[in-house]
Amino acid sequence: MKKLVVVCLAALAFSCGEDKKEQKTEMKTETKVEKAAPAAADSKEAVVSIEGNDQMQFNKKEIRVKAGQKVKLTLKHVGKMEKAVMGHNWALLTQDADVATVGNAAAMAKDNDYIPADMTDKFIVHTKMIGGGESVTIEFDAPEAGTYTYMCTFPGHYALMQGKFIVE
Ligand SMILES: [Cu+2]
């Protein structure tokens, strides 16, 4: 009988010790999470978003980034119309490019996603063409400081769908 009581007490003490250990471990984990929480904003990357709609418009006339930044740009087509009728892309032109010249050539380049094959040197970067409800993200290094033009190369869109891309 005495033996049984001793065994029981021992078991009680043991389990009590275990509980304390567990609690300690939990507290440690919490502290760790708190420390790791707020990550510093990364100024090496510029996250840009721009929208195109069924009214043939971009929602921004100007985009500003800093020289040396990596640009992560997302184009979202917030309309409902199909790519074949109201397709949009986002194309960044070199400074020597003429928007109308590129735009008119692009209109004839349906087979190449409306990017004129003989003018690829006028494009710094461009997204693919998307339709309503779609979005596309590209990443590129900001070109050297200066003012550039961006446009949509879908036929007839550049008159309304263009803006300034300013690298500071
Ligand atoms: Cu467009």
Side-chain angles (χ1 to χ4, degrees):
M1 189 64 176
K2 239 187 191 173
K3 230 183 192 177
L4 198 69
V5 173
V6 171
V7 171
C8 276
L9 278 175
L12 210 70
F14 183 70
S15 70
C16 192
E18 278 295 289
D19 277 354
K20 266 188 192 159
K21 243 189 212 170
E22 266 173 41
Q23 268 179 349
K24 257 189 196 168
T25 317
E26 265 172 42
M27 274 164 69
K28 255 189 198 168
T29 314
E30 271 170 35
T31 319
K32 232 184 188 177
V33 172
E34 260 173 48
K35 261 187 191 170
D42 188 8
S43 60
K44 288 190 172 168
E45 189 179 58
V47 180
V48 179
S49 61
I50 183 165
E51 296 174 357
N53 62 19
D54 282 345
Q55 284 73 50
M56 214 194 291
Q57 291 163 331
F58 281 133
N59 69 337
K60 283 181 182 169
K61 288 269 171 223
E62 190 182 294
I63 293 171
R64 282 175 186 270
V65 300
K66 290 189 167 57
Q69 278 186 318
K70 191 165 266 304
V71 183
K72 188 175 181 181
L73 181 137
T74 299
L75 167 68
K76 190 176 179 196
H77 192 320
V78 295
K80 290 189 170 129
M81 292 168 82
E82 279 175 36
K83 184 166 84 170
V85 252
M86 188 53 73
H88 298 315
N89 67 2
W90 187 89
L92 183 61
L93 305 183
T94 56
Q95 282 175 315
D96 67 328
D98 178 65
V99 186
T101 307
V102 173
N104 292 335
M108 313 297 277
K110 189 183 178 189
D111 292 345
N112 198 40
D113 216 25
Y114 296 110
I115 299 296
D118 57 347
M119 283 190 183
T120 48
D121 61 325
K122 301 293 183 199
F123 293 85
I124 294 169
V125 70
H126 66 84
T127 69
K128 62 174 184 173
M129 197 66 71
I130 57 170
E134 295 181 318
S135 72
V136 59
T137 299
I138 50 168
E139 281 189 49
F140 59 96
D141 294 323
E144 62 181 56
T147 300
Y148 302 76
T149 300
Y150 63 84
M151 67 184 288
C152 170
T153 67
F154 194 87
H157 285 199
Y158 72 83
L160 284 174
M161 298 188 79
Q162 60 171 279
K164 294 294 171 205
F165 186 85
I166 299 159
V167 184
E168 293 167 326

mmCIF file of all heavy atoms in Angstrom, residues 91-142:
data_model
loop_
_atom_site.group_PDB
_atom_site.id
_atom_site.type_symbol
_atom_site.label_atom_id
_atom_site.label_comp_id
_atom_site.label_asym_id
_atom_site.label_seq_id
_atom_site.Cartn_x
_atom_site.Cartn_y
_atom_site.Cartn_z
ATOM 1 N N ALA A 91 3.933 48.826 -72.243
ATOM 2 C CA ALA A 91 5.217 48.794 -72.930
ATOM 3 C C ALA A 91 5.990 50.067 -72.618
ATOM 4 O O ALA A 91 5.462 51.174 -72.739
ATOM 5 C CB ALA A 91 4.993 48.670 -74.440
ATOM 6 N N LEU A 92 7.232 49.891 -72.193
ATOM 7 C CA LEU A 92 8.095 51.031 -71.868
ATOM 8 C C LEU A 92 9.046 51.266 -73.033
ATOM 9 O O LEU A 92 9.779 50.364 -73.451
ATOM 10 C CB LEU A 92 8.867 50.729 -70.578
ATOM 11 C CG LEU A 92 9.777 51.830 -70.033
ATOM 12 C CD1 LEU A 92 8.973 53.086 -69.694
ATOM 13 C CD2 LEU A 92 10.520 51.327 -68.801
ATOM 14 N N LEU A 93 9.013 52.493 -73.568
ATOM 15 C CA LEU A 93 9.811 52.797 -74.762
ATOM 16 C C LEU A 93 11.142 53.461 -74.419
ATOM 17 O O LEU A 93 11.261 54.136 -73.389
ATOM 18 C CB LEU A 93 9.018 53.728 -75.689
ATOM 19 C CG LEU A 93 7.627 53.271 -76.126
ATOM 20 C CD1 LEU A 93 7.033 54.295 -77.102
ATOM 21 C CD2 LEU A 93 7.669 51.890 -76.766
ATOM 22 N N THR A 94 12.089 53.303 -75.312
ATOM 23 C CA THR A 94 13.373 53.995 -75.155
ATOM 24 C C THR A 94 13.126 55.482 -75.402
ATOM 25 O O THR A 94 12.119 55.867 -76.015
ATOM 26 C CB THR A 94 14.410 53.471 -76.179
ATOM 27 O OG1 THR A 94 13.861 53.609 -77.496
ATOM 28 C CG2 THR A 94 14.736 52.013 -75.924
ATOM 29 N N GLN A 95 14.043 56.310 -74.938
ATOM 30 C CA GLN A 95 13.829 57.767 -75.042
ATOM 31 C C GLN A 95 13.814 58.278 -76.476
ATOM 32 O O GLN A 95 13.196 59.299 -76.765
ATOM 33 C CB GLN A 95 14.877 58.504 -74.211
ATOM 34 C CG GLN A 95 14.537 58.474 -72.727
ATOM 35 C CD GLN A 95 15.613 59.099 -71.869
ATOM 36 O OE1 GLN A 95 16.787 58.836 -72.063
ATOM 37 N NE2 GLN A 95 15.221 59.901 -70.909
ATOM 38 N N ASP A 96 14.466 57.577 -77.387
ATOM 39 C CA ASP A 96 14.496 58.046 -78.775
ATOM 40 C C ASP A 96 13.300 57.532 -79.588
ATOM 41 O O ASP A 96 13.163 57.838 -80.768
ATOM 42 C CB ASP A 96 15.815 57.615 -79.452
ATOM 43 C CG ASP A 96 15.899 56.111 -79.628
ATOM 44 O OD1 ASP A 96 15.353 55.369 -78.779
ATOM 45 O OD2 ASP A 96 16.505 55.657 -80.620
ATOM 46 N N ALA A 97 12.439 56.746 -78.965
ATOM 47 C CA ALA A 97 11.300 56.185 -79.704
ATOM 48 C C ALA A 97 10.182 57.210 -79.845
ATOM 49 O O ALA A 97 9.939 58.008 -78.943
ATOM 50 C CB ALA A 97 10.782 54.949 -78.968
ATOM 51 N N ASP A 98 9.517 57.178 -80.991
ATOM 52 C CA ASP A 98 8.370 58.059 -81.208
ATOM 53 C C ASP A 98 7.097 57.236 -80.989
ATOM 54 O O ASP A 98 6.892 56.207 -81.639
ATOM 55 C CB ASP A 98 8.418 58.616 -82.639
ATOM 56 C CG ASP A 98 7.207 59.500 -82.929
ATOM 57 O OD1 ASP A 98 7.081 60.554 -82.277
ATOM 58 O OD2 ASP A 98 6.373 59.103 -83.760
ATOM 59 N N VAL A 99 6.271 57.687 -80.067
ATOM 60 C CA VAL A 99 5.088 56.912 -79.665
ATOM 61 C C VAL A 99 4.177 56.591 -80.855
ATOM 62 O O VAL A 99 3.718 55.459 -81.014
ATOM 63 C CB VAL A 99 4.273 57.670 -78.590
ATOM 64 C CG1 VAL A 99 3.142 56.805 -78.074
ATOM 65 C CG2 VAL A 99 5.169 58.085 -77.454
ATOM 66 N N ALA A 100 3.926 57.587 -81.700
ATOM 67 C CA ALA A 100 3.023 57.377 -82.833
ATOM 68 C C ALA A 100 3.611 56.385 -83.834
ATOM 69 O O ALA A 100 2.906 55.502 -84.338
ATOM 70 C CB ALA A 100 2.736 58.713 -83.508
ATOM 71 N N THR A 101 4.910 56.519 -84.101
ATOM 72 C CA THR A 101 5.564 55.610 -85.042
ATOM 73 C C THR A 101 5.495 54.169 -84.529
ATOM 74 O O THR A 101 5.129 53.246 -85.259
ATOM 75 C CB THR A 101 7.045 56.015 -85.249
ATOM 76 O OG1 THR A 101 7.084 57.400 -85.613
ATOM 77 C CG2 THR A 101 7.698 55.180 -86.326
ATOM 78 N N VAL A 102 5.825 53.994 -83.241
ATOM 79 C CA VAL A 102 5.772 52.659 -82.643
ATOM 80 C C VAL A 102 4.319 52.167 -82.616
ATOM 81 O O VAL A 102 4.028 51.025 -82.972
ATOM 82 C CB VAL A 102 6.364 52.663 -81.207
ATOM 83 C CG1 VAL A 102 6.139 51.316 -80.522
ATOM 84 C CG2 VAL A 102 7.849 52.984 -81.245
ATOM 85 N N GLY A 103 3.407 53.046 -82.243
ATOM 86 C CA GLY A 103 2.006 52.674 -82.142
ATOM 87 C C GLY A 103 1.412 52.230 -83.464
ATOM 88 O O GLY A 103 0.691 51.230 -83.538
ATOM 89 N N ASN A 104 1.762 52.947 -84.532
ATOM 90 C CA ASN A 104 1.236 52.596 -85.849
ATOM 91 C C ASN A 104 1.825 51.285 -86.359
ATOM 92 O O ASN A 104 1.137 50.479 -86.979
ATOM 93 C CB ASN A 104 1.500 53.735 -86.840
ATOM 94 C CG ASN A 104 0.677 54.975 -86.485
ATOM 95 O OD1 ASN A 104 -0.373 54.879 -85.851
ATOM 96 N ND2 ASN A 104 1.171 56.146 -86.865
ATOM 97 N N ALA A 105 3.110 51.073 -86.100
ATOM 98 C CA ALA A 105 3.740 49.819 -86.514
ATOM 99 C C ALA A 105 3.171 48.657 -85.699
ATOM 100 O O ALA A 105 2.929 47.568 -86.218
ATOM 101 C CB ALA A 105 5.258 49.917 -86.333
ATOM 102 N N ALA A 106 2.933 48.905 -84.424
ATOM 103 C CA ALA A 106 2.410 47.857 -83.542
ATOM 104 C C ALA A 106 1.031 47.389 -83.998
ATOM 105 O O ALA A 106 0.707 46.199 -83.912
ATOM 106 C CB ALA A 106 2.341 48.382 -82.101
ATOM 107 N N ALA A 107 0.238 48.324 -84.512
ATOM 108 C CA ALA A 107 -1.115 47.985 -84.956
ATOM 109 C C ALA A 107 -1.102 46.938 -86.066
ATOM 110 O O ALA A 107 -2.056 46.175 -86.234
ATOM 111 C CB ALA A 107 -1.830 49.245 -85.429
ATOM 112 N N MET A 108 0.002 46.881 -86.823
ATOM 113 C CA MET A 108 0.121 45.918 -87.918
ATOM 114 C C MET A 108 0.744 44.604 -87.449
ATOM 115 O O MET A 108 0.895 43.678 -88.234
ATOM 116 C CB MET A 108 1.017 46.505 -89.028
ATOM 117 C CG MET A 108 0.687 47.938 -89.431
ATOM 118 S SD MET A 108 -0.963 48.093 -90.133
ATOM 119 C CE MET A 108 -0.602 47.611 -91.823
ATOM 120 N N ALA A 109 1.141 44.526 -86.191
ATOM 121 C CA ALA A 109 1.888 43.356 -85.702
ATOM 122 C C ALA A 109 1.036 42.424 -84.850
ATOM 123 O O ALA A 109 1.464 41.954 -83.801
ATOM 124 C CB ALA A 109 3.112 43.833 -84.914
ATOM 125 N N LYS A 110 -0.161 42.146 -85.335
ATOM 126 C CA LYS A 110 -1.067 41.284 -84.583
ATOM 127 C C LYS A 110 -0.454 39.914 -84.275
ATOM 128 O O LYS A 110 -0.632 39.372 -83.180
ATOM 129 C CB LYS A 110 -2.366 41.095 -85.384
ATOM 130 C CG LYS A 110 -3.438 40.402 -84.574
ATOM 131 C CD LYS A 110 -4.691 40.153 -85.392
ATOM 132 C CE LYS A 110 -5.719 39.416 -84.534
ATOM 133 N NZ LYS A 110 -6.865 38.966 -85.334
ATOM 134 N N ASP A 111 0.271 39.387 -85.247
ATOM 135 C CA ASP A 111 0.851 38.047 -85.079
ATOM 136 C C ASP A 111 1.938 38.003 -84.013
ATOM 137 O O ASP A 111 2.335 36.931 -83.564
ATOM 138 C CB ASP A 111 1.449 37.554 -86.410
ATOM 139 C CG ASP A 111 0.348 37.289 -87.436
ATOM 140 O OD1 ASP A 111 -0.832 37.209 -87.034
ATOM 141 O OD2 ASP A 111 0.676 37.189 -88.636
ATOM 142 N N ASN A 112 2.444 39.150 -83.629
ATOM 143 C CA ASN A 112 3.527 39.190 -82.631
ATOM 144 C C ASN A 112 3.056 39.887 -81.361
ATOM 145 O O ASN A 112 3.810 40.602 -80.706
ATOM 146 C CB ASN A 112 4.759 39.896 -83.225
ATOM 147 C CG ASN A 112 6.024 39.583 -82.444
ATOM 148 O OD1 ASN A 112 6.237 38.449 -82.025
ATOM 149 N ND2 ASN A 112 6.855 40.588 -82.229
ATOM 150 N N ASP A 113 1.792 39.668 -80.997
ATOM 151 C CA ASP A 113 1.226 40.254 -79.773
ATOM 152 C C ASP A 113 1.280 41.789 -79.822
ATOM 153 O O ASP A 113 1.390 42.450 -78.801
ATOM 154 C CB ASP A 113 1.967 39.726 -78.542
ATOM 155 C CG ASP A 113 1.038 39.532 -77.343
ATOM 156 O OD1 ASP A 113 -0.176 39.347 -77.548
ATOM 157 O OD2 ASP A 113 1.535 39.582 -76.194
ATOM 158 N N TYR A 114 1.221 42.344 -81.030
ATOM 159 C CA TYR A 114 1.246 43.792 -81.267
ATOM 160 C C TYR A 114 2.544 44.461 -80.811
ATOM 161 O O TYR A 114 2.552 45.596 -80.348
ATOM 162 C CB TYR A 114 0.029 44.475 -80.619
ATOM 163 C CG TYR A 114 -1.281 44.028 -81.232
ATOM 164 C CD1 TYR A 114 -2.176 43.236 -80.517
ATOM 165 C CD2 TYR A 114 -1.622 44.374 -82.542
ATOM 166 C CE1 TYR A 114 -3.372 42.796 -81.089
ATOM 167 C CE2 TYR A 114 -2.808 43.942 -83.121
ATOM 168 C CZ TYR A 114 -3.680 43.162 -82.391
ATOM 169 O OH TYR A 114 -4.853 42.731 -82.967
ATOM 170 N N ILE A 115 3.618 43.707 -80.953
ATOM 171 C CA ILE A 115 4.956 44.284 -80.757
ATOM 172 C C ILE A 115 5.659 44.162 -82.110
ATOM 173 O O ILE A 115 5.951 43.056 -82.567
ATOM 174 C CB ILE A 115 5.770 43.509 -79.680
ATOM 175 C CG1 ILE A 115 5.075 43.540 -78.313
ATOM 176 C CG2 ILE A 115 7.185 44.079 -79.575
ATOM 177 C CD1 ILE A 115 4.933 44.904 -77.662
ATOM 178 N N PRO A 116 5.915 45.278 -82.797
ATOM 179 C CA PRO A 116 6.536 45.197 -84.126
ATOM 180 C C PRO A 116 7.936 44.582 -84.063
ATOM 181 O O PRO A 116 8.817 45.113 -83.372
ATOM 182 C CB PRO A 116 6.576 46.658 -84.596
ATOM 183 C CG PRO A 116 6.420 47.480 -83.358
ATOM 184 C CD PRO A 116 5.656 46.657 -82.378
ATOM 185 N N ALA A 117 8.097 43.482 -84.770
ATOM 186 C CA ALA A 117 9.342 42.714 -84.691
ATOM 187 C C ALA A 117 10.576 43.523 -85.104
ATOM 188 O O ALA A 117 11.666 43.302 -84.584
ATOM 189 C CB ALA A 117 9.229 41.456 -85.545
ATOM 190 N N ASP A 118 10.392 44.475 -86.036
ATOM 191 C CA ASP A 118 11.552 45.251 -86.484
ATOM 192 C C ASP A 118 11.803 46.488 -85.615
ATOM 193 O O ASP A 118 12.625 47.332 -85.940
ATOM 194 C CB ASP A 118 11.368 45.669 -87.955
ATOM 195 C CG ASP A 118 10.087 46.475 -88.171
ATOM 196 O OD1 ASP A 118 9.222 46.492 -87.253
ATOM 197 O OD2 ASP A 118 9.958 47.095 -89.241
ATOM 198 N N MET A 119 11.083 46.599 -84.521
ATOM 199 C CA MET A 119 11.292 47.750 -83.631
ATOM 200 C C MET A 119 11.544 47.330 -82.187
ATOM 201 O O MET A 119 11.344 48.124 -81.265
ATOM 202 C CB MET A 119 10.041 48.648 -83.640
ATOM 203 C CG MET A 119 9.930 49.507 -84.866
ATOM 204 S SD MET A 119 8.609 50.716 -84.625
ATOM 205 C CE MET A 119 8.635 51.498 -86.221
ATOM 206 N N THR A 120 11.987 46.122 -81.990
ATOM 207 C CA THR A 120 12.180 45.647 -80.615
ATOM 208 C C THR A 120 13.224 46.476 -79.866
ATOM 209 O O THR A 120 13.217 46.527 -78.643
ATOM 210 C CB THR A 120 12.586 44.154 -80.590
ATOM 211 O OG1 THR A 120 13.641 43.969 -81.520
ATOM 212 C CG2 THR A 120 11.417 43.263 -80.957
ATOM 213 N N ASP A 121 14.105 47.157 -80.628
ATOM 214 C CA ASP A 121 15.111 47.997 -79.968
ATOM 215 C C ASP A 121 14.502 49.274 -79.391
ATOM 216 O O ASP A 121 15.166 50.030 -78.685
ATOM 217 C CB ASP A 121 16.242 48.345 -80.954
ATOM 218 C CG ASP A 121 15.739 49.133 -82.170
ATOM 219 O OD1 ASP A 121 14.596 48.869 -82.616
ATOM 220 O OD2 ASP A 121 16.473 50.014 -82.653
ATOM 221 N N LYS A 122 13.251 49.541 -79.691
ATOM 222 C CA LYS A 122 12.576 50.726 -79.134
ATOM 223 C C LYS A 122 11.849 50.404 -77.822
ATOM 224 O O LYS A 122 11.271 51.283 -77.188
ATOM 225 C CB LYS A 122 11.540 51.279 -80.134
ATOM 226 C CG LYS A 122 12.122 51.673 -81.479
ATOM 227 C CD LYS A 122 13.052 52.866 -81.352
ATOM 228 C CE LYS A 122 13.580 53.302 -82.714
ATOM 229 N NZ LYS A 122 14.801 54.132 -82.582
ATOM 230 N N PHE A 123 11.871 49.137 -77.461
ATOM 231 C CA PHE A 123 11.194 48.716 -76.225
ATOM 232 C C PHE A 123 12.219 48.369 -75.146
ATOM 233 O O PHE A 123 13.115 47.562 -75.379
ATOM 234 C CB PHE A 123 10.321 47.481 -76.478
ATOM 235 C CG PHE A 123 9.134 47.744 -77.378
ATOM 236 C CD1 PHE A 123 9.261 47.699 -78.757
ATOM 237 C CD2 PHE A 123 7.892 48.045 -76.827
ATOM 238 C CE1 PHE A 123 8.174 47.953 -79.592
ATOM 239 C CE2 PHE A 123 6.797 48.292 -77.654
ATOM 240 C CZ PHE A 123 6.934 48.245 -79.034
ATOM 241 N N ILE A 124 12.087 48.993 -73.991
ATOM 242 C CA ILE A 124 12.942 48.618 -72.863
ATOM 243 C C ILE A 124 12.406 47.333 -72.263
ATOM 244 O O ILE A 124 13.141 46.403 -71.956
ATOM 245 C CB ILE A 124 12.962 49.746 -71.802
ATOM 246 C CG1 ILE A 124 13.651 50.986 -72.386
ATOM 247 C CG2 ILE A 124 13.677 49.289 -70.530
ATOM 248 C CD1 ILE A 124 13.508 52.231 -71.542
ATOM 249 N N VAL A 125 11.092 47.295 -72.143
ATOM 250 C CA VAL A 125 10.431 46.106 -71.612
ATOM 251 C C VAL A 125 8.944 46.207 -71.942
ATOM 252 O O VAL A 125 8.430 47.302 -72.194
ATOM 253 C CB VAL A 125 10.658 46.029 -70.065
ATOM 254 C CG1 VAL A 125 9.897 47.111 -69.332
ATOM 255 C CG2 VAL A 125 10.294 44.670 -69.510
ATOM 256 N N HIS A 126 8.257 45.098 -71.985
ATOM 257 C CA HIS A 126 6.806 45.142 -72.171
ATOM 258 C C HIS A 126 6.173 43.879 -71.610
ATOM 259 O O HIS A 126 6.819 42.841 -71.512
ATOM 260 C CB HIS A 126 6.439 45.312 -73.655
ATOM 261 C CG HIS A 126 6.813 44.131 -74.518
ATOM 262 N ND1 HIS A 126 6.002 43.029 -74.646
ATOM 263 C CD2 HIS A 126 7.920 43.886 -75.261
ATOM 264 C CE1 HIS A 126 6.602 42.158 -75.455
ATOM 265 N NE2 HIS A 126 7.761 42.655 -75.834
ATOM 266 N N THR A 127 4.910 44.013 -71.230
ATOM 267 C CA THR A 127 4.177 42.836 -70.758
ATOM 268 C C THR A 127 3.541 42.172 -71.978
ATOM 269 O O THR A 127 3.558 42.715 -73.070
ATOM 270 C CB THR A 127 3.031 43.214 -69.795
ATOM 271 O OG1 THR A 127 2.009 43.899 -70.552
ATOM 272 C CG2 THR A 127 3.521 44.129 -68.682
ATOM 273 N N LYS A 128 2.942 41.038 -71.746
ATOM 274 C CA LYS A 128 2.150 40.429 -72.809
ATOM 275 C C LYS A 128 0.800 41.144 -72.852
ATOM 276 O O LYS A 128 0.475 41.926 -71.961
ATOM 277 C CB LYS A 128 1.956 38.931 -72.530
ATOM 278 C CG LYS A 128 1.191 38.643 -71.243
ATOM 279 C CD LYS A 128 0.903 37.152 -71.087
ATOM 280 C CE LYS A 128 0.065 36.909 -69.847
ATOM 281 N NZ LYS A 128 -0.399 35.543 -69.687
ATOM 282 N N MET A 129 0.038 40.888 -73.876
ATOM 283 C CA MET A 129 -1.293 41.480 -74.029
ATOM 284 C C MET A 129 -2.273 40.677 -73.172
ATOM 285 O O MET A 129 -2.233 39.450 -73.175
ATOM 286 C CB MET A 129 -1.668 41.405 -75.510
ATOM 287 C CG MET A 129 -2.795 42.308 -75.938
ATOM 288 S SD MET A 129 -2.447 44.080 -75.852
ATOM 289 C CE MET A 129 -1.281 44.337 -77.194
ATOM 290 N N ILE A 130 -3.134 41.377 -72.441
ATOM 291 C CA ILE A 130 -4.110 40.665 -71.599
ATOM 292 C C ILE A 130 -5.528 41.183 -71.847
ATOM 293 O O ILE A 130 -5.718 42.291 -72.343
ATOM 294 C CB ILE A 130 -3.777 40.792 -70.084
ATOM 295 C CG1 ILE A 130 -3.707 42.268 -69.656
ATOM 296 C CG2 ILE A 130 -2.492 40.066 -69.743
ATOM 297 C CD1 ILE A 130 -3.630 42.465 -68.154
ATOM 298 N N GLY A 131 -6.497 40.382 -71.479
ATOM 299 C CA GLY A 131 -7.899 40.755 -71.632
ATOM 300 C C GLY A 131 -8.543 41.019 -70.278
ATOM 301 O O GLY A 131 -7.896 40.911 -69.233
ATOM 302 N N GLY A 132 -9.834 41.361 -70.290
ATOM 303 C CA GLY A 132 -10.555 41.686 -69.063
ATOM 304 C C GLY A 132 -10.415 40.628 -67.976
ATOM 305 O O GLY A 132 -10.509 39.439 -68.258
ATOM 306 N N GLY A 133 -10.180 41.075 -66.761
ATOM 307 C CA GLY A 133 -10.077 40.174 -65.628
ATOM 308 C C GLY A 133 -8.697 39.570 -65.432
ATOM 309 O O GLY A 133 -8.431 38.929 -64.417
ATOM 310 N N GLU A 134 -7.800 39.795 -66.390
ATOM 311 C CA GLU A 134 -6.462 39.207 -66.275
ATOM 312 C C GLU A 134 -5.464 40.216 -65.696
ATOM 313 O O GLU A 134 -5.707 41.421 -65.710
ATOM 314 C CB GLU A 134 -5.968 38.756 -67.657
ATOM 315 C CG GLU A 134 -6.782 37.627 -68.261
ATOM 316 C CD GLU A 134 -6.255 37.195 -69.628
ATOM 317 O OE1 GLU A 134 -5.895 38.073 -70.436
ATOM 318 O OE2 GLU A 134 -6.223 36.000 -69.874
ATOM 319 N N SER A 135 -4.352 39.684 -65.227
ATOM 320 C CA SER A 135 -3.269 40.568 -64.810
ATOM 321 C C SER A 135 -1.936 39.913 -65.136
ATOM 322 O O SER A 135 -1.861 38.703 -65.324
ATOM 323 C CB SER A 135 -3.372 40.895 -63.320
ATOM 324 O OG SER A 135 -3.040 39.774 -62.552
ATOM 325 N N VAL A 136 -0.919 40.738 -65.214
ATOM 326 C CA VAL A 136 0.410 40.231 -65.565
ATOM 327 C C VAL A 136 1.444 41.048 -64.791
ATOM 328 O O VAL A 136 1.264 42.244 -64.569
ATOM 329 C CB VAL A 136 0.644 40.304 -67.100
ATOM 330 C CG1 VAL A 136 0.531 41.728 -67.612
ATOM 331 C CG2 VAL A 136 1.988 39.706 -67.489
ATOM 332 N N THR A 137 2.490 40.374 -64.332
ATOM 333 C CA THR A 137 3.542 41.055 -63.573
ATOM 334 C C THR A 137 4.892 40.842 -64.256
ATOM 335 O O THR A 137 5.207 39.739 -64.683
ATOM 336 C CB THR A 137 3.615 40.504 -62.136
ATOM 337 O OG1 THR A 137 2.358 40.737 -61.492
ATOM 338 C CG2 THR A 137 4.700 41.201 -61.329
ATOM 339 N N ILE A 138 5.640 41.931 -64.379
ATOM 340 C CA ILE A 138 6.996 41.820 -64.936
ATOM 341 C C ILE A 138 7.979 42.464 -63.963
ATOM 342 O O ILE A 138 7.601 43.313 -63.157
ATOM 343 C CB ILE A 138 7.147 42.498 -66.325
ATOM 344 C CG1 ILE A 138 6.588 43.937 -66.280
ATOM 345 C CG2 ILE A 138 6.427 41.690 -67.396
ATOM 346 C CD1 ILE A 138 6.958 44.764 -67.507
ATOM 347 N N GLU A 139 9.224 42.047 -64.055
ATOM 348 C CA GLU A 139 10.279 42.643 -63.237
ATOM 349 C C GLU A 139 11.409 43.079 -64.149
ATOM 350 O O GLU A 139 11.794 42.352 -65.053
ATOM 351 C CB GLU A 139 10.791 41.618 -62.219
ATOM 352 C CG GLU A 139 9.871 41.471 -61.017
ATOM 353 C CD GLU A 139 10.488 40.612 -59.919
ATOM 354 O OE1 GLU A 139 11.656 40.868 -59.558
ATOM 355 O OE2 GLU A 139 9.812 39.690 -59.441
ATOM 356 N N PHE A 140 11.898 44.271 -63.901
ATOM 357 C CA PHE A 140 13.016 44.762 -64.714
ATOM 358 C C PHE A 140 13.800 45.803 -63.915
ATOM 359 O O PHE A 140 13.306 46.349 -62.927
ATOM 360 C CB PHE A 140 12.501 45.367 -66.034
ATOM 361 C CG PHE A 140 11.533 46.525 -65.873
ATOM 362 C CD1 PHE A 140 11.986 47.844 -65.926
ATOM 363 C CD2 PHE A 140 10.183 46.298 -65.656
ATOM 364 C CE1 PHE A 140 11.102 48.916 -65.789
ATOM 365 C CE2 PHE A 140 9.290 47.370 -65.499
ATOM 366 C CZ PHE A 140 9.764 48.671 -65.572
ATOM 367 N N ASP A 141 15.020 46.066 -64.357
ATOM 368 C CA ASP A 141 15.844 47.085 -63.709
ATOM 369 C C ASP A 141 15.457 48.443 -64.270
ATOM 370 O O ASP A 141 15.350 48.598 -65.491
ATOM 371 C CB ASP A 141 17.322 46.813 -63.974
ATOM 372 C CG ASP A 141 17.781 45.510 -63.318
ATOM 373 O OD1 ASP A 141 17.308 45.220 -62.206
ATOM 374 O OD2 ASP A 141 18.596 44.791 -63.929
ATOM 375 N N ALA A 142 15.259 49.409 -63.391
ATOM 376 C CA ALA A 142 14.928 50.757 -63.851
ATOM 377 C C ALA A 142 16.052 51.248 -64.758
ATOM 378 O O ALA A 142 17.226 51.095 -64.433
ATOM 379 C CB ALA A 142 14.763 51.690 -62.659
#
